[in-house]
Amino acid sequence: MSDDTSGTFDRDTRYITDRIVADAPAGEPAGEKVGDVTWPVEAGRYHLAAARACPWAHRTILVRELMGLQDAISLGLAGPTHDERSWTFDLDPGGQDPVLGIERLQEAYFNRVPDYPLGITVPAMVDIPTTAVVTNDFDQLSKDLATQWGECAKPDAPELYPEDLREEIEKINERVYPDLNNGVYQAGFATSQSAYEDAYDRVFATLDWLEELLADRRYLVGDSITLADIRLYPTLVRFDPVYFGHFKCNRQTISSFPVLSAYLKDLWQTPGFGDTMNIDQIKEHYYVVHTNVNPTQIVPKGPDMSWLDEPSGRDQLS
């Protein structure tokens, strides 16, 4: 939504804030009301409803993949386009999610909260027995997938949110989320020149800062991939094909940043990153769904993203 007085896009961040945690007792979830309920970690009980097109859902797909939770948590992928009733499982045979048996994610939200009044968003963790949404709080969900599912993860699962680095990870996010992850949306959905220019300036100030920060370190925090990198990657990989043109963030492409382009190539070539991506679905989502920005719904053929497969040279920073 936009603030009519300033033309600034304000994201609705009201979510279902239930959590799935390791120390919750098995069986029925404990809590008095939606948003105040803890659910038990239980392999095979939950279904992650996501979409390859959505950057917020992309983060949870990455964590699930890197942690090796594929056998413990099934994955449902909605198609890249949707209407005002939101995401549909039109990629699956018969247009139904094969695990949940529903056509629209909206059904799982209504099973939890009848006539749910807020956004029908991905990612959403769904309780399979009841076909009801557990949580759609994408940031907390990513943290919990990284820290609460150890008993179901692969033996060599990485520490994506180590306790000794959490303060630094969150400090990075305090700038990356508002000024870049959400900043590109504030530029693209602005309805006044001043709001657009403010968001545009913050986007590129942040990219310049990251270019300098990553010059002598392979990853944002520590010596391995953390949630800081997972939060940044979906925005960087969408920048050239979508945000540069569609959202008018056109000072320069990521491919023209020497350090950021190498960093993005390094992540893209890491198992779990590029091999879980679909650039065509990403472009179709933005250019078809956002008719207020692109009323013709024409999807551009470019750009050529083959540069992501070139050597990054970042391994020398390990």
Side-chain angles (χ1 to χ4, degrees):
M1 67 181 70
S2 293
D3 182 334
D4 292 336
T5 59
S6 68
T8 300
F9 169 70
D10 292 321
R11 181 174 300 280
D12 187 347
T13 57
R14 294 173 293 171
Y15 302 112
I16 297 174
T17 56
D18 288 9
R19 294 181 60 196
I20 303 171
V21 295
D23 59 0
E28 293 303 309
E32 297 181 357
K33 59 182 180 180
V34 173
D36 183 37
V37 180
T38 55
W39 300 66
V41 167
E42 186 178 329
R45 177 170 181 171
Y46 305 103
H47 190 62
L48 178 61
R52 297 201 189 280
C54 173
W56 318 106
H58 191 179
R59 292 163 172 81
T60 57
I61 294 173
L62 287 169
V63 176
R64 173 183 175 270
E65 188 78 16
L66 294 175
M67 294 295 293
L69 294 170
Q70 297 92 327
D71 292 336
I73 303 170
S74 55
L75 177 65
L77 292 171
T81 61
H82 59 73
D83 57 21
E84 68 278 359
R85 292 171 62 194
S86 198
W87 303 93
T88 61
F89 296 101
D90 52 355
L91 300 177
D92 293 305
Q96 284 190 339
D97 180 277
V99 173
L100 302 177
I102 60 176
E103 296 181 354
R104 292 178 177 271
L105 183 56
Q106 183 186 58
E107 297 175 53
Y109 275 81
F110 287 174
N111 287 341
R112 185 70 194 282
V113 181
D115 298 321
Y116 181 74
L118 305 176
I120 309 295
T121 60
V122 289
M125 192 72 90
V126 181
D127 179 46
I128 295 173
T130 59
T131 320
V133 168
V134 173
T135 178
N136 64 336
D137 185 347
F138 72 89
D139 189 51
Q140 186 62 53
L141 178 54
S142 295
K143 293 176 185 176
D144 288 342
L145 288 173
T147 61
Q148 300 295 316
W149 285 79
E151 66 181 51
C152 301
K154 62 185 180 181
D156 60 345
E159 284 196 77
L160 300 176
Y161 198 51
E163 288 192 33
D164 61 326
L165 297 179
R166 288 180 189 178
E167 183 176 350
E168 189 175 354
I169 290 170
E170 294 308 323
K171 185 176 181 180
I172 294 282
N173 193 53
E174 286 173 6
R175 179 163 187 181
V176 169
Y177 172 77
D179 293 343
L180 183 58
N181 298 150
N182 196 48
V184 292
Y185 283 85
Q186 291 185 317
F189 291 151
T191 56
S192 73
Q193 188 69 32
S194 60
Y196 160 70
E197 291 185 5
D198 173 71
Y200 176 101
D201 290 343
R202 288 186 288 110
V203 164
F204 283 101
T206 304
L207 289 174
D208 290 339
W209 171 68
L210 290 167
E211 176 80 357
E212 182 177 351
L213 181 68
L214 287 162
D216 60 357
R217 61 176 78 179
R218 187 173 183 180
Y219 303 114
L220 283 171
V221 179
D223 297 325
S224 60
I225 291 167
T226 66
L227 283 186
D229 304 290
I230 289 169
R231 288 163 170 168
L232 176 59
Y233 172 80
T235 299
L236 292 186
V237 80
R238 286 163 174 75
F239 200 95
D240 290 12
V242 175
Y243 304 145
F244 179 84
H246 184 59
F247 280 173
K248 305 181 185 70
C249 294
N250 58 359
R251 192 193 81 180
Q252 65 187 106
T253 60
I254 297 301
S255 62
S256 70
F257 283 92
V259 172
L260 280 174
S261 62
Y263 168 79
L264 182 55
K265 285 188 283 189
D266 189 18
L267 291 180
W268 169 270
Q269 294 167 31
T270 299
F273 283 80
D275 53 2
T276 62
M277 291 279 304
N278 189 306
I279 297 293
D280 289 337
Q281 285 190 24
I282 288 169
K283 291 197 298 182
E284 184 179 359
H285 170 71
Y286 284 89
Y287 285 98
V288 172
V289 172
H290 299 161
T291 53
N292 57 327
V293 178
N294 185 43
T296 64
Q297 297 181 299
I298 293 172
V299 181
K301 292 182 67 176
D304 180 4
M305 298 294 288
S306 61
W307 59 271
L308 288 170
D309 294 316
E310 299 170 357
S312 71
R314 296 281 293 178
D315 54 342
Q316 62 186 326
L317 296 175
S318 296

